[in-house]
Amino acid sequence: MIYWIWAVFKRMAPFKVVTLDDRWDQMNRSFMMPLTMSFAYLIDYGIIAGSAIKCTGFEDTFRSEAFVDEYCWTQGIYTLREAYDIENMDLPYPGIIPEGIPNCIPLERYDGMKIECPDEAQYLTPNRVYHLWYQHLQLYFWLVCALFYLPYMVGICLGFNYTKPIVNLLHDPLTRDDEELDALLDKAARSLRHRFDIYSDHHKSWFNTLYSRHTLLYLLFFIKLQYLAFSVAILGLTHAKFKIGSFLTYGFEWAGSGPTNGTYTLIQHKLFPKMTACEIRRWGATGLDVVRGMCVLPQNVSNSYIFLVFWVFLVITILGNIIGCILAVKQYLVKSEGYGKLVNCTFWNDWNLRHLYWHVGGSGRVVLHHLADNLHPCTFEKLIRRYWWLKRNEFVQYNGHLKTS
């Protein structure tokens, strides 16, 4: 079991040798996906192994503690919006105050004057905020986990992994002899020749030429935009789940907040209350009975730290996706910049490569960069030279100047 888990993680991990996407995209599928999967397992373990909720105040009415805990967990835990950020902390917990107390108490001043309270009809009823989505946190993280991996799967299904067989064919050629390497290079070069001829065919209609020359480039940008859109949507969706407090600034408020003489409500008190009120309604002998009590949510202690780590890496992932999109535009749309990066990766500057890079279109440039990122520079150089050797021989054959076997 442990070996299987390690094998699966190794296939997803960003430090594997052969990769199709760049390091910015791998932050999503190879880091955020296992991270959110781990969060789902941690929350599941905390709910199963520990006590997610413990309620008190119902002992005189209900004998079954399990019924009370399960009812409050699924139906009735809440806090009051008006009970946060109160300077006088003479209350059980931020967000919890008795709903039936008077809104105002008349007081006498030192000069004998009396402070009168407004009419009760002018006050709004307390606004309850129910916290019922904590029981679905593990399912939420499984959904997030799938979203971080979905763009990669879309790219694979649409043919983004075209270069993978060539990379697997030529990867780590130092362990092979020269004859075997020449045979493999010949196979790979013929495959590239066929593919690059499709990319550079100018006899098609302008639409087919535009489509065939840039299909992989469109797909690459589509994948990157998906990663960026999903990461931003996950941040916004998580923020929408909380009715009090802002998850968008969770990390900043956590870092900049602290208790001040016990009068300040921390951000984790709003997003992850450790104590809530609960109300149970039932039919009794005299009609409808309403029983109120308080519940402790120990699971929210770990949830507050889990979501802090999640917020930090989610913000880093969003910034990384933005940087990845900008670098992709610079690398694939600005030809000189992309060619310079390709030369820096391969330590090889040759007219053949320059001519090829300028004429195979966006799809060809994507293929060349994938090959250069995953092959040894010497192997990549031999592959391009073998490609041009095949191209030249076929051109000479076609014009009747040379016949080869």
Side-chain angles (χ1 to χ4, degrees):
M1 182 66 179
I2 297 177
Y3 176 79
W4 178 82
I5 294 175
W6 169 250
V8 173
F9 177 74
K10 188 176 180 181
R11 288 198 298 267
M12 295 188 301
F15 48 76
K16 60 185 181 181
V17 179
V18 178
T19 58
L20 292 176
D21 44 4
D22 56 25
R23 295 296 183 264
W24 303 105
D25 292 342
Q26 289 173 27
M27 284 195 309
N28 298 269
R29 70 169 182 88
S30 298
F31 183 78
M32 291 300 294
M33 178 189 170
L35 183 69
T36 53
M37 188 185 302
S38 302
F39 290 160
Y41 278 121
L42 286 175
I43 294 173
D44 263 334
Y45 177 79
I47 294 176
I48 295 173
S51 177
I53 188 171
K54 185 66 176 178
C55 299
T56 185
F58 304 94
E59 293 81 2
D60 296 337
T61 307
F62 299 96
R63 294 183 179 180
S64 175
E65 294 182 1
F67 169 79
V68 172
D69 294 343
E70 292 176 5
Y71 181 93
C72 292
W73 177 250
T74 58
Q75 298 294 326
I77 54 176
Y78 65 92
T79 55
L80 300 179
R81 189 180 299 274
E82 292 80 10
Y84 289 94
D85 297 314
I86 298 177
E87 294 185 1
N88 182 11
M89 292 294 290
D90 189 16
L91 47 88
Y93 190 81
I96 300 179
I97 56 174
E99 294 182 80
I101 62 173
N103 293 312
C104 178
I105 301 176
L107 298 174
E108 291 187 1
R109 295 168 40 179
Y110 286 107
D111 56 4
M113 300 290 292
K114 190 174 183 179
I115 301 177
E116 298 292 342
C117 292
D119 187 5
E120 288 288 334
Q122 299 181 12
Y123 292 103
L124 296 175
T125 57
N127 186 9
R128 290 186 181 184
V129 179
Y130 286 89
H131 306 273
L132 299 177
W133 84 289
Y134 299 118
Q135 54 189 297
H136 307 298
L137 283 182
Q138 64 274 30
L139 300 179
Y140 178 74
F141 276 120
W142 282 117
L143 173 63
V144 171
C145 176
L147 289 179
F148 277 123
Y149 198 71
L150 181 60
Y152 182 74
M153 290 300 299
V154 171
I156 295 299
C157 293
L158 295 180
F160 192 66
N161 60 340
Y162 161 73
T163 59
K164 192 172 183 179
I166 300 178
V167 173
N168 291 333
L169 188 70
L170 300 176
H171 181 67
D172 195 15
L174 299 179
T175 59
R176 306 185 178 101
D177 55 29
D178 293 339
E179 293 183 0
E180 183 180 1
L181 178 59
D182 288 340
L184 296 178
L185 284 172
D186 189 67
K187 286 184 179 181
R190 291 182 184 278
S191 176
L192 285 182
R193 178 194 57 77
H194 173 70
R195 180 61 59 173
F196 286 161
D197 284 348
I198 295 177
Y199 294 157
S200 57
D201 186 3
H202 300 290
H203 298 288
K204 299 180 180 179
S205 64
W206 67 269
F207 176 78
N208 290 332
T209 301
L210 182 65
Y211 176 76
S212 62
R213 284 173 61 86
H214 303 291
T215 301
L216 293 183
L217 184 62
Y218 301 149
L219 184 57
L220 181 141
F221 280 108
F222 177 66
I223 293 173
K224 287 187 173 295
L225 292 176
Q226 271 189 311
Y227 278 131
L228 178 59
F230 283 160
S231 57
V232 173
I234 289 169
L235 181 63
L237 181 61
T238 308
H239 170 72
K241 289 292 185 180
F242 298 101
K243 305 303 180 182
I244 300 179
S246 174
F247 183 74
L248 299 178
T249 57
Y250 183 39
F252 297 118
E253 292 188 47
W254 181 294
S257 64
T260 306
N261 298 325
T263 60
Y264 190 77
T265 302
L266 302 179
I267 182 62
Q268 51 267 39
H269 296 156
K270 297 180 179 179
L271 299 184
F272 303 97
K274 284 78 175 177
M275 184 176 294
T276 61
C278 179
E279 178 181 272
I280 299 180
R281 293 172 174 263
R282 67 160 190 172
W283 286 105
T286 59
L288 184 65
D289 292 338
V290 179
V291 184
R292 296 186 178 93
M294 296 174 58
C295 298
V296 178
L297 305 176
Q299 183 68 27
N300 270 353
V301 177
S302 59
N303 287 344
S304 62
Y305 291 100
I306 287 176
F307 273 82
L308 177 63
V309 176
F310 179 57
W311 181 90
V312 171
F313 286 108
L314 185 58
V315 171
I316 294 175
T317 302
I318 292 175
L319 295 178
N321 288 331
I322 295 175
I323 296 174
C325 291
I326 295 175
L327 293 181
V329 171
K330 184 178 179 181
Q331 176 174 322
Y332 293 103
L333 298 186
V334 182
K335 295 182 180 180
S336 58
E337 294 288 341
Y339 179 75
K341 181 180 182 299
L342 187 64
V343 171
N344 292 333
C345 291
T346 59
F347 309 108
W348 179 55
N349 189 352
D350 189 89
W351 179 88
N352 292 331
L353 178 61
R354 181 182 294 273
H355 178 77
L356 179 63
Y357 194 83
W358 252 255
H359 287 82
V360 293
S363 295
R365 290 194 288 273
V366 172
V367 171
L368 289 175
H369 278 284
H370 282 180
L371 293 175
D373 290 338
N374 293 282
L375 295 179
H376 191 277
C378 295
T379 305
F380 181 74
E381 176 184 355
K382 293 178 181 178
L383 176 62
I384 299 301
R385 293 186 185 278
R386 181 61 59 91
Y387 165 83
W388 279 109
W389 183 82
L390 291 174
K391 190 77 173 176
R392 176 181 174 276
N393 281 357
E394 291 182 359
F395 177 77
V396 173
Q397 274 186 345
Y398 182 78
N399 288 275
H401 296 297
L402 180 65
K403 295 184 178 180
T404 62
S405 58

